[in-house]
Amino acid sequence: MNHFGRLFQINIFGESHGKSVGILIDGVNPGIPLCEEDFSNDLLRRKSGGIGTTPRIEDDKIIIESGVFNGFTTGAPILLRFENNNTKSKDYSNLVSQPRPSHADYTAKLKYNGFNDYRGGGHFSGRLTLGLVSAGVIAKKILKDFKFNTKLINLNGEEDSSKFKNMLMDAVSEKDSLGGIISIRVDNVLKGLGEPYFDSLESTISHLLFSVGGVKGVEFGIGFDGVNLKGSSFNDVIIDHEGHTKTNNNGGINGGISNGNPIELKVFIKPTPSIGKSQETYNFKEEKVSELVINGRHDAAIILRAMVVCEACVAIALCDSYLINKAYRED
Amino acid sequence: MNHFGRLFQINIFGESHGKSVGILIDGVNPGIPLCEEDFSNDLLRRKSGGIGTTPRIEDDKIIIESGVFNGFTTGAPILLRFENNNTKSKDYSNLVSQPRPSHADYTAKLKYNGFNDYRGGGHFSGRLTLGLVSAGVIAKKILKDFKFNTKLINLNGEEDSSKFKNMLMDAVSEKDSLGGIISIRVDNVLKGLGEPYFDSLESTISHLLFSVGGVKGVEFGIGFDGVNLKGSSFNDVIIDHEGHTKTNNNGGINGGISNGNPIELKVFIKPTPSIGKSQETYNFKEEKVSELVINGRHDAAIILRAMVVCEACVAIALCDSYLINKAYRED
Amino acid sequence: MNHFGRLFQINIFGESHGKSVGILIDGVNPGIPLCEEDFSNDLLRRKSGGIGTTPRIEDDKIIIESGVFNGFTTGAPILLRFENNNTKSKDYSNLVSQPRPSHADYTAKLKYNGFNDYRGGGHFSGRLTLGLVSAGVIAKKILKDFKFNTKLINLNGEEDSSKFKNMLMDAVSEKDSLGGIISIRVDNVLKGLGEPYFDSLESTISHLLFSVGGVKGVEFGIGFDGVNLKGSSFNDVIIDHEGHTKTNNNGGINGGISNGNPIELKVFIKPTPSIGKSQETYNFKEEKVSELVINGRHDAAIILRAMVVCEACVAIALCDSYLINKAYRED
Amino acid sequence: MNHFGRLFQINIFGESHGKSVGILIDGVNPGIPLCEEDFSNDLLRRKSGGIGTTPRIEDDKIIIESGVFNGFTTGAPILLRFENNNTKSKDYSNLVSQPRPSHADYTAKLKYNGFNDYRGGGHFSGRLTLGLVSAGVIAKKILKDFKFNTKLINLNGEEDSSKFKNMLMDAVSEKDSLGGIISIRVDNVLKGLGEPYFDSLESTISHLLFSVGGVKGVEFGIGFDGVNLKGSSFNDVIIDHEGHTKTNNNGGINGGISNGNPIELKVFIKPTPSIGKSQETYNFKEEKVSELVINGRHDAAIILRAMVVCEACVAIALCDSYLINKAYRED
């Protein structure tokens, strides 16, 4: 459902072409300085990746509706809202008859008996990630010393980042799209975070990441590549009293609990499903396969925008674990 | 924490060398036939993979403590318990001074201020998966027509299954261990399961999978390999009125919701961390790196036992979504 | 915390003098007709009780921010928001030094280290009940045939309702306030609602009721008066095949589960703590007891407004149970 | 459902005549000394009230199945189990045809389609409170300095406790039963406990209390009697820097948050529904009203046993709030 977290609780809402989108956050400690500008940097990171699109710039203005007073969080729920001023009067009804492949068009219609707001993806729109990014900003404030480092390490099979720009230009001109792999590393993580059995750090982090549209794989540490190593090579041997390890194949997590080494993970984001290129897919009205051309401008690689979103997911999961951990620590 | 699920709720408990391990399941509909023998097959699948070990055969006897009457579920919580009769009087205290690399020994000690039951891994022991497998049996009963197909598709980099047996024998003689990749496919899945935003099927499935010790990667459909495809190739085009798709790169899930095609996913299990081979790792008592030899017999490839565990995780997540879906359907 | 419900989930937010107050509701089935006017009647019931006050009429305009499309619920979260246009620039800082007796002023300051928005009660303001009333409207739509009947049966010890008007007028002129007892009766309740052990109907109903400021007592059926009856008189004997009972001392609930007879309960609402009359109470700045006069106009009996709020609480609890019940019923 | 709590989580299970009853507790901090004897006193308080019955003495032996190692809690879930050795082979099938008035017999059958274990009340048996009492013992350990004082202040309308004994003897000889009112007072409560909006202390305390069979009314402070006071008399004026108040009509809670004064509440427990006296009630098999005589020995006043159960509920709710409060406090 649209609620996540035990103590740092987020509730997401909105549709792409409704009145607004946003997030309601409960469980933020009182006394944290917070204002609209605090969100600017991450909201900009989310927007700037829109190669191939005209981002809805004016819509990224955050409104703090509640939970902040005199520049500080109050301890009451924080409602962050983004108005959808710039919604085009475009006709989306063809996507109801002919759902976009790899998109939520078909499943949303099924699940909600056709009552879903299908315009621009509705509740499944990437625009919902504005709320996630904003919650991530607050989570990172609470996590003070934790350092997040998020990188695009693979674009459509290519790992040399100097080639990414040209690849993106080519994708735009081909009216196609590219997927990729994001790497996230968190340094200065407090030891002991994560709540076995079911709230292992890997569990809560992956839970949030897989909520984001387009995420189709998550791996920690060396991940799937570790299949080539035997135990004697895979094991991260501890080398000092602080628990530092020689390697970090486990990505800083053992038994679901942070071990003080950097948390490292990778996220696979599939290529943007909405492409300009013609596709042959089923038309439920015509009851046959026919050509689908999705008009308008499309993100050549949604992954560029997704980087800060994935980082936010990791921060939110860690923040919840951080608060839980405080509750169980001795006074 | 040790609780998961909205309507099909599981609560896991126990330690390897305590009195018992098991699971408490709430939210099982009344009227489902259930007896001890129903668990035999899956419990046997979990046990039989123990190459390199002497499985604690006598301990896998399930006790249904509550929630079943006259051979049917009553609707009250079902407590499933396994007694730990066969716990050896082995001395584990050396692992407190010198935690096993890649294991929860170090993080558990940290998190619980040294009060954790460290014998045999305690609450982090693979023995806890007895409960998961048992809950999976009930989930699969509720999911009636869903068909689960779980396979080992990669062992230590090798995909040819005919070679696995020899590889395992070699690992035993080398006192080393092997990781691998499990593939799970579910057919006949009801359409419309999964609850956006945060309870996407990928989210709840991965949440449970990453709770299992040793799981370090989860991917749906084509997964990370999909990075090589552009959108025009990745997209699963719909070919008929039932929503069947030509390819299944999305693994049967769009927007977090089942689309009626098979759910397909892969799970990476790292090599068993406990190996007989000597390792150099930090000794916190001696305050220096020194040799660690873990005595006893070890699983050469815990992945053999983990297959049915991972299948259970998928079934539990689907079962919870199935019940939620019923609640929101029109009467 | 500010979240309640398993399937019909509500999340409340806002402060009296912040930008807005409202409620975010998740778990509403798609396809329910819903528009702003649907809320008018109950919002009016909440407002009209404001004897002794000038209600902030213009602020009760509901904005449906999300979850409704083409006049029907979509299945996505419904954000209902009320803007606080009419907030006076009054100075509330004296209440920080000298908290109002029986109010949340003191405890809120304590709990939130002084960061709480104290203006007009902030997050503890009665204005928050706008959200509850609105969620109640939707709950009652889902509960279709259930009939709610809410009455004021006792005002300041008086049970003759013809005297209430004069009593209220007297209270206004005395600058004092009155408490009372509300009776709620629900007819046509589906049998079998309520989820033992901990989600008995009495538990979830009382949980919500006691969240409302001023509620200090809840009793079901005959309630505390039943102490005078022995078992042989208290027991509600069943008289027909439908489970009708001769008496309804249990208030339609046995073992936490609805038995098909009317659900009957009573709620005690204390007198409005904010009164115009002078009070002697501690001044934390002056560090001594001194006179407190709270300026402005006050509700002579908040209970008049609380009636529809309490009814909403009962409806929300029943709606959640109703959805859960559907999930566990046989197909 | 059978789960309660955010951080101090309890899960109750079992049936009166099944293999066992008990409770699974998650979220207990590591390092708390705990052994079987710690439960003796409260289990004895629960048992000794059984006037009119032969308590199943031998069944109150607690088994700590998990979560305790070397005499201390480990931080892992604690399973507390009580075996049902003493279940009589009595025939309960007549209660299926002719459900006991005021009992869960009828509603349980309805809700669970007749699959419920009806023997001795099954999952609705008072025997389930063994688990609650045990969880309360642990909660009170965590709450260290809080002092609980629980009294019977009214038995069948009589407030003079010196008459209670004779009243009970009379009830036994009349084969009837008595209800009453329990008062609970908690001193030395930490200020600032309780989580608005929905987890007010009154909400969580009443939620747990109303889960207990027989509880039909809960009031805080002066409770329903406060209806006779006007605001100027009801208000608890603060008299010193510590927040002490002259009166305690609010029962130590304002805005749902503890204010440092004693928490005071009252609980109404209806007369035991199972009585030896003949009752005329509907027989579903015979399809007419007929005489019901419930054989065996009955509790004349279950309230005597319920006192420690209600105290446990209050302790559990406070303990959960206490842990949450720690999480949000500044380091």
Side-chain angles (χ1 to χ4, degrees), chain C residues 6-315:
Chain C
R6 293 196 185 274
L7 291 182
F8 187 83
Q9 300 186 345
I10 54 174
N11 304 278
I12 205 164
F13 67 89
E15 294 88 20
S16 175
H17 287 55
K19 285 217 182 75
S20 57
V21 300
I23 203 157
L24 176 57
I25 309 166
D26 196 16
V28 179
N29 317 49
I32 300 174
L34 194 70
C35 64
E36 284 79 0
E37 290 82 62
D38 291 334
F39 300 92
S40 307
N41 190 42
D42 276 5
L43 291 176
L44 187 66
R45 288 171 65 196
R46 178 186 168 281
K47 185 162 52 189
S48 58
I51 290 177
T53 71
T54 310
R56 288 157 55 176
I57 294 174
E58 62 274 49
D59 290 347
D60 290 5
K61 193 178 168 306
I62 196 167
I63 303 167
I64 304 178
E65 291 277 348
S66 68
V68 175
F69 177 51
N70 286 340
F72 292 90
T73 59
T74 64
I78 299 174
L79 176 62
L80 303 175
R81 203 166 60 84
F82 299 84
E83 296 188 348
N84 293 332
N85 303 310
N86 199 19
T87 53
K88 309 271 173 29
S89 55
K90 189 178 154 187
D91 183 11
Y92 287 94
S93 57
N94 67 315
L95 300 178
V96 178
S97 315
Q98 196 175 22
R100 286 170 291 176
S102 283
H103 230 280
D105 292 344
Y106 174 64
T107 50
K109 186 182 167 190
L110 262 179
K111 183 170 187 72
Y112 301 109
N113 297 326
F115 287 104
N116 60 303
D117 181 350
Y118 49 77
R119 298 169 301 165
H123 188 55
F124 295 83
S125 161
R127 191 159 167 75
L128 272 281
T129 60
L130 281 168
L132 279 177
V133 169
S134 307
V137 168
I138 297 178
K140 285 185 275 189
K141 282 207 164 208
I142 294 172
L143 296 173
K144 292 184 203 95
D145 303 327
F146 293 37
K147 299 293 169 216
F148 291 80
N149 187 355
T150 301
K151 289 187 298 198
L152 179 61
I153 58 166
N154 186 319
L155 185 70
N156 193 215
E158 176 59 58
E159 297 185 355
D160 178 351
S161 60
S162 68
K163 300 187 179 163
F164 291 177
K165 198 172 174 186
N166 283 342
M167 291 169 68
L168 289 162
M169 291 307 148
D170 290 351
V172 171
S173 64
E174 293 168 14
K175 300 189 174 181
D176 212 333
S177 66
L178 310 178
I181 300 175
I182 296 169
S183 137
I184 301 177
R185 175 184 164 124
V186 195
D187 284 275
N188 295 342
V189 174
L190 196 70
K191 293 176 194 175
L193 302 188
E195 296 298 321
Y197 199 81
F198 296 116
D199 292 349
S200 79
L201 282 188
E202 292 109 326
S203 290
T204 55
I205 289 173
S206 70
H207 189 129
L208 279 165
L209 285 168
F210 277 121
S211 300
V212 177
V215 173
K216 284 290 181 179
V218 173
E219 58 182 16
F220 292 84
I222 189 174
F224 281 90
D225 283 350
V227 76
N228 298 307
L229 303 181
K230 295 190 182 171
S232 55
S233 319
F234 191 101
N235 285 354
D236 299 315
V237 299
I238 301 177
I239 55 173
D240 65 20
H241 209 79
E242 289 306 306
H244 291 116
T245 54
K246 198 184 292 184
T247 48
N248 192 17
N249 293 323
N250 286 280
I253 305 171
N254 289 123
I257 301 169
S258 62
N259 64 20
N261 292 281
I263 289 182
E264 296 189 282
L265 63 138
K266 299 199 193 79
V267 186
F268 165 56
I269 310 267
K270 71 179 186 185
T272 328
S274 264
I275 54 175
K277 210 170 186 171
S278 160
Q279 301 174 85
E280 292 280 321
T281 192
Y282 195 75
N283 187 313
F284 285 77
K285 201 168 160 191
E286 298 179 0
E287 300 199 322
K288 61 170 187 179
V289 170
S290 65
E291 191 185 19
L292 171 70
V293 175
I294 313 170
N295 294 318
R297 296 170 67 89
H298 306 281
D299 273 301
I302 197 71
I303 193 170
L304 298 172
R305 295 181 165 205
M307 290 166 68
V308 67
V309 177
C310 291
E311 180 180 303
C313 289
V314 176

Side-chain angles (χ1 to χ4, degrees), chain D residues 92-114:
Chain D
Y92 287 95
S93 56
N94 66 317
L95 299 179
V96 177
S97 317
Q98 197 175 21
R100 287 169 291 177
S102 284
H103 230 281
D105 291 346
Y106 175 65
T107 51
K109 187 183 167 191
L110 263 178
K111 183 170 188 72
Y112 302 109
N113 297 326

Side-chain angles (χ1 to χ4, degrees), chain A residues 84 274 329:
Chain A
N84 293 331
S274 264
R329 278 208 307 262

Side-chain angles (χ1 to χ4, degrees), chain B residues 265-299:
Chain B
L265 63 137
K266 299 198 194 81
V267 186
F268 165 56
I269 310 268
K270 71 180 186 183
T272 328
S274 264
I275 54 176
K277 210 169 184 172
S278 159
Q279 302 174 84
E280 292 279 322
T281 192
Y282 195 76
N283 188 313
F284 285 77
K285 199 168 161 193
E286 299 179 359
E287 300 200 323
K288 61 169 189 180
V289 170
S290 66
E291 192 185 18
L292 170 71
V293 175
I294 313 168
N295 294 318
R297 296 169 68 90
H298 307 281
D299 274 299

Side-chain angles (χ1 to χ4, degrees), chain D residues 136-155:
Chain D
V137 168
I138 297 177
K140 286 183 274 189
K141 282 208 165 206
I142 294 172
L143 295 173
K144 291 183 203 96
D145 303 327
F146 292 36
K147 297 293 168 217
F148 292 79
N149 188 354
T150 301
K151 290 186 297 198
L152 180 62
I153 58 166
N154 185 321
L155 186 70

Side-chain angles (χ1 to χ4, degrees), chain A residues 149-326:
Chain A
N149 188 354
T150 302
K151 289 187 298 197
L152 179 63
I153 60 165
N154 185 319
L155 184 71
N156 193 217
E158 176 61 58
E159 298 185 354
D160 178 352
S161 60
S162 68
K163 299 185 181 166
F164 291 176
K165 198 173 173 186
N166 283 341
M167 291 170 67
L168 288 162
M169 293 306 151
D170 290 351
V172 171
S173 64
E174 292 169 14
K175 300 187 173 182
D176 214 333
S177 66
L178 309 178
I181 300 174
I182 295 168
S183 137
I184 301 177
R185 175 183 164 125
V186 195
D187 285 274
N188 295 342
V189 174
L190 195 70
K191 293 176 193 176
L193 301 188
E195 294 300 320
Y197 196 82
F198 296 116
D199 292 348
S200 79
L201 281 188
E202 292 109 325
S203 289
T204 55
I205 289 172
S206 70
H207 190 129
L208 280 165
L209 285 168
F210 277 121
S211 300
V212 177
V215 172
K216 284 291 180 178
V218 172
E219 58 182 16
F220 291 83
I222 189 173
F224 282 91
D225 283 350
V227 77
N228 298 306
L229 303 181
K230 294 189 181 171
S232 55
S233 318
F234 191 102
N235 285 354
D236 298 315
V237 300
I238 301 176
I239 54 172
D240 65 21
H241 209 78
E242 288 306 306
H244 291 116
T245 55
K246 198 185 288 184
T247 49
N248 192 17
N249 293 321
N250 285 282
I253 306 171
N254 290 122
I257 301 168
S258 62
N259 64 20
N261 291 281
I263 289 182
E264 296 189 284
L265 63 137
K266 298 199 194 80
V267 186
F268 165 56
I269 311 267
K270 71 179 185 184
T272 329
S274 264
I275 54 175
K277 211 170 185 173
S278 159
Q279 301 175 85
E280 292 280 322
T281 192
Y282 195 75
N283 187 313
F284 284 78
K285 200 169 161 192
E286 298 179 1
E287 300 200 322
K288 62 172 187 177
V289 169
S290 67
E291 193 187 17
L292 170 70
V293 175
I294 312 168
N295 293 319
R297 297 169 68 90
H298 306 281
D299 274 300
I302 198 69
I303 194 170
L304 299 171
R305 293 178 167 207
M307 290 166 66
V308 66
V309 177
C310 291
E311 181 180 302
C313 289
V314 175
I316 293 166
L318 288 174
C319 182
D320 198 30
S321 295
Y322 175 82
L323 291 175
I324 298 172
N325 191 57
K326 271 181 68 180

